Amino acid sequence: MFVAQSQTPQSSRIVVKGALIDTSGTPLPSATVMLLLPKDSSLVNFGRSNDKGFFEFKNVKRQRYILKVSYVSYIPLQKDVIPTDEAVLDMGSLALKPITKELFEVVVKTAKAPLSIKGDTIEYNAASFKVPPGSTVEDLLRKLPGMQIEQDGSIRAQGMEVKKVTVDGKSFFGSDPKQATKNISADAIQKVQVFNDKTEAAKMTGVDDGKKEKTINLELKESHKKGGFGKVTAGIGTDDRREIKGNYNKFDSKNQFSVVGNANNTNQSGLSWDDYQDFRGSQAFSWGDEADFGFGGNGFRFITFDDGDESLGIPIGGSRDGFSKNYSGGANYNYDTKKTKFSSNYYFNQTERTIDKISSSQRFFQEKSLNSADTTNQVNFNANHRMSLRFEKTLDTLNTLVLIGNGKYSRGNASQFSNILQQLLVQNSIIPRQTNINNSNIFDSYTFQGTGIFRHKFAKKGRSFSASAGYSLLKSDGNANQRSINKLYNATTLNDSIVAIDQINDNLSNKKQVKSSLFFVEPLSKIFYWESFYNFSIQNNSVNRDLLDRQDTGPVRNDSLSRYYTNDLMYNRLGSSIRYSNKGMNITVGLAAQQFNLKGDFRRSENSANLANINLNYFTWIPKIGINWDLKNNRYLFIDYDKNTREPSVRDLQPIVDNSNPLYLRVGNPDLLPSIQHTISAGYNMFNPASFTNLYANLSYNYNINQVVYNQTIGDNGVILTKPTNLSGGTTYNGYVGFGVPLKKTVSTLNINANFNLAQNPIYINSVLNKTNTNSGSIGMRLSFTPSDKFTFYGNASLGLTKTSYELPTAPNQTIYNNQYGGEMNFNFGKEFYFASNLNYRVYKNETRGFTQDLPILNLALYKFLGKSKRSEIRLTAYDVFKKNLGVNQSAFQNFVTIDQTRTLSRYFMLSYTYNMRGLSSQMRKKNMF
């Protein structure tokens, strides 16, 4: 039994109830029951019948309705609801007929209900949920009961995070749902299906691992399944702001072709979320391409080089701090059949960004503290060429081969000028100094990754074998100029008062890796499975850094700061686990033996004597315990224990000083040990399909052994030297809970969430162990109000608090607030005129430092659709009406607290024109067929 709303005055509200049976009189439980308005079949209320087939709607308006009932394998039932003078309208027993071949056509014609619920699958008829012209799938999802769009665009359905979005059942948009939902227009969608899918590992092995991946499938209209679609936008604004972007896509059941282009000076440095997926197609993210088989460990990692400019991925994202000019473009082609899948793309992007930043920080020591005020100006240029290929061939019913190749070439340059004023406080004395840094660099690099995966299924159900091999290569060649002048105002002599650095840094880096992995699954019975895996990897790193001092006679090599090092990492991991899978209960218990050997040496130059040798042999056991329990009725519970280990990085091992920042020197430690992390996590998820109420909660605990922390030592002149070391004892507690409930079905929904993070971070300060406690949490709310297609409103609020306490006597505890309030509104004036507004009010506060910053960012837009087909749009937009936009970041951690403020693109107005290509009409295709 379900309850729609509480009872209101009987004169204007009634109760509608009844019972559902089949032709034999058997009750039909969990049938989908809906009330629709006769004029346009829009959804008013919905629910499900109880175990005895009864349904009831309370507190509905006294007016005519259409009652729609759907049940699996039965013909949908439709009845007129005509209220009487009574407070309760009993529809009596309503019989549904089973589907037969003769009645199939009738079922097809009558099955277009706003939504239907079949087990854990909910199917929405997109036409029943009205959104303004030009809306995206994201706008459509916001209208659907049980769906929640977070502030960052991520999606929750039935309380669970959506992991995948497919189009017509294919992985056309990969595993990042934000990109898909922001890209496709809502008018292209016929149905939205939400269901729990199995993981790729479970599909490959045929063994249910108990893990659910909430998935959305977008079923396209016939008019968009063939032909081309896309859009082009051009805009011109005040302050010489300009943008032009466009994409075109053409695909059928086998072929997908896309082109995209973008040029602007409005801080859109990468592809927008709106355009990314149109371009990448099914290669956006390739599911099931994981080549590292087995559980846990984290030591066996395929080199992704995904750190900053070395990333192989196509840059995605909106506005960033600073001011940038951006150009990008590319082409993509995919071929997809039942047995053969081929994907390819090329993409180019170029960004020139100017950053003006002011930073204020304090760093605390036992008897000293260091205050810094830093003004920085940076100009960065980066250009990248990327290519990707993927080929998948189903050799026969038992064998599959996957080949993947990715490559990238990058070039760029950067310049930085910083004026740093510092005060070193020693007891009651203040020691001032000033540093000017003027650094620049240029670089070229290229990266390649190749992977092969072979999968074999045996004739025996559940038995399978997989093998993978991979090769990675990264080469980088850079040249940097390091210039700085340090003025020490308390110096006793003139020679000590000014310390200058003028150096050239030539850096050549090479990384290579060869790896392989094997995986075998053997069914021991119908409910027990044995899984075994083996991982092997060889990795080589080499760096040749020549640092030269500029002198009157020319550059002279600085042997004390130059370095050359190589290291080789050989990795082996062998493991097994037993999986129990029966009636929704999945339990995994496993153990792996993990071993690696790290060898290397560090020299001043390639031919000089060794400064340090590394020969680290390490062995550990990696246990795994996992429980996934389907409690039925859309309730899920999981508990996991994992142990992860990671070898020290090359940068942390090298024992030569890095003086890129003369105030903050770094030196490595060749005696580092691998770090270990123990993690226990648990979670619960519940969704009620009758009331569309959801609840989800997650808890986790982490304990670190030999984690790498950076010992900080401050000299008499205030220069800080950091050196990594191993420390045990760092702990973290995390928690998250969310609750969602419709205030009025199909009209208003409220979602509330809260999270916390309790962390204890040990660190050595001047060789003395100290601990810093950082406790943070936030509570948020999102309200959607969509009474009609003429007006929509989405409100949100988030209150965040961070408290940081230090053991150091010189360090005052920090209380930091990061609050955010926002709202989005869209209003239809009629005659295709629309008004949209977006307010994002951010409040930053640090009580200890007396810092407060309020940033009300308001965007307004007035737009109109032109023509009968509404393919053209003209829009006038005002960005940041109050001219308050500013990049702000504040944090407190370990022994420091800092506040950054960065100038960024502020108020401007833009007039833009957009033309949408929305596929061929079905009528046109029919004419062309004859």
Side-chain angles (χ1 to χ4, degrees), residues 84-245:
T84 64
D85 293 335
E86 300 296 326
V88 178
L89 178 60
D90 191 343
M91 303 291 292
S93 295
L94 305 175
L96 278 69
K97 297 179 181 180
I99 296 176
T100 63
K101 284 186 177 181
E102 292 76 14
L103 294 175
F104 181 77
E105 186 176 349
V106 177
V107 173
V108 172
K109 291 182 178 179
T110 61
K112 293 183 178 179
L115 62 83
S116 60
I117 305 172
K118 304 172 185 177
D120 63 359
T121 298
I122 300 179
E123 182 176 277
Y124 303 88
N125 179 17
S128 299
F129 301 90
K130 307 296 183 182
V131 291
S135 297
T136 63
V137 168
E138 180 181 81
D139 300 316
L140 173 64
L141 295 183
R142 285 179 170 179
K143 298 276 289 185
L144 305 183
M147 304 292 292
Q148 177 185 350
I149 308 298
E150 302 287 355
Q151 185 70 21
D152 62 356
S154 59
I155 308 167
R156 283 191 174 271
Q158 306 167 19
M160 297 176 66
E161 182 181 358
V162 173
K163 297 292 187 180
K164 296 191 296 189
V165 172
T166 61
V167 177
D168 286 337
K170 296 181 180 180
S171 57
F172 182 71
F173 285 102
S175 61
D176 193 325
K178 291 182 292 186
Q179 302 163 358
T181 57
K182 288 176 176 289
N183 176 61
I184 302 181
S185 60
D187 65 356
I189 304 303
Q190 180 170 307
K191 292 181 181 179
V192 177
Q193 297 160 336
V194 183
F195 57 95
N196 291 324
D197 198 10
K198 293 182 179 180
T199 63
E200 290 301 317
K203 291 178 182 179
M204 181 185 72
T205 62
V207 180
D208 185 9
D209 57 10
K211 298 179 181 179
K212 305 296 182 182
E213 292 186 343
K214 187 62 69 175
T215 301
I216 291 178
N217 180 56
L218 305 174
E219 185 177 309
L220 293 177
K221 294 178 180 178
E222 287 298 323
S223 59
H224 287 71
K225 291 184 178 180
K226 292 185 179 181
F229 66 93
K231 63 182 177 181
V232 61
T233 299
I236 185 169
T238 57
D239 296 331
D240 201 30
R241 299 295 158 197
R242 304 171 188 272
E243 68 172 8
I244 182 169
K245 62 179 181 178

Side-chain angles (χ1 to χ4, degrees), residues 110 116 126 151 182 217 309 315 380 409 425 487 584 591 597 676 693 778 786 793 831 833:
T110 61
S116 60
Q151 185 70 21
K182 288 176 176 289
N217 180 56
D309 292 335
N380 302 324
Y409 170 71
L425 279 66
K487 300 178 180 179
L591 186 67
N597 173 253
I676 297 172
T693 300
S778 70
T786 58
F793 173 79
K831 296 184 178 180
F833 272 102

Side-chain angles (χ1 to χ4, degrees), residues 782-853:
R782 288 186 63 81
L783 173 67
S784 68
F785 181 60
T786 58
S788 70
D789 58 340
K790 292 185 177 295
F791 177 79
T792 59
F793 173 79
Y794 304 96
N796 65 84
S798 176
L799 305 178
L801 173 65
T802 300
K803 285 184 171 289
T804 302
S805 58
Y806 308 92
E807 285 188 350
L808 291 165
T810 58
N813 295 338
Q814 305 290 321
T815 302
I816 295 174
Y817 297 90
N818 290 291
N819 300 333
Q820 182 170 293
Y821 315 90
E824 302 174 44
M825 183 185 70
N826 189 289
F827 182 74
N828 182 355
F829 290 104
K831 296 184 178 180
E832 304 306 327
F833 272 102
Y834 293 83
F835 171 75
S837 64
N838 183 306
L839 175 65
N840 186 1
Y841 195 108
R842 304 193 299 267
V843 179
Y844 303 91
K845 187 176 181 180
N846 184 323
E847 290 183 340
T848 308
R849 304 195 68 190
F851 172 77
T852 301
Q853 184 76 61

Side-chain angles (χ1 to χ4, degrees), residues 264-269 318-324 326 904-905:
N264 69 79
N265 60 357
T266 57
N267 280 21
Q268 301 295 325
S269 57
S319 298
R320 294 173 55 191
D321 296 338
F323 304 84
S324 67
N326 312 281
T904 191
L905 188 61

Side-chain angles (χ1 to χ4, degrees), residues 508 542-546 557 559 562-566 601-610 656:
L508 182 63
S542 66
V543 171
N544 189 355
R545 181 192 184 213
D546 286 330
R557 192 176 193 274
D559 289 335
S562 297
R563 61 178 180 264
Y564 175 87
Y565 62 79
T566 62
D601 59 67
F602 297 90
R603 311 164 184 259
R604 300 293 185 191
S605 65
E606 184 174 0
N607 298 318
S608 62
N610 287 352
I656 300 172

Side-chain angles (χ1 to χ4, degrees), residues 254-266:
K254 294 182 180 180
N255 300 280
Q256 302 168 359
F257 173 71
S258 305
V259 292
V260 65
N262 185 12
N264 69 79
N265 60 357
T266 57

Side-chain angles (χ1 to χ4, degrees), residues 107 153 237 248 352 402 448 632 649 660 775 834 912 914:
V107 173
Y248 178 76
E352 182 180 344
V402 179
F448 170 78
K632 306 302 180 184
S649 69
S660 301
N775 301 326
Y834 293 83
S912 62
T914 299

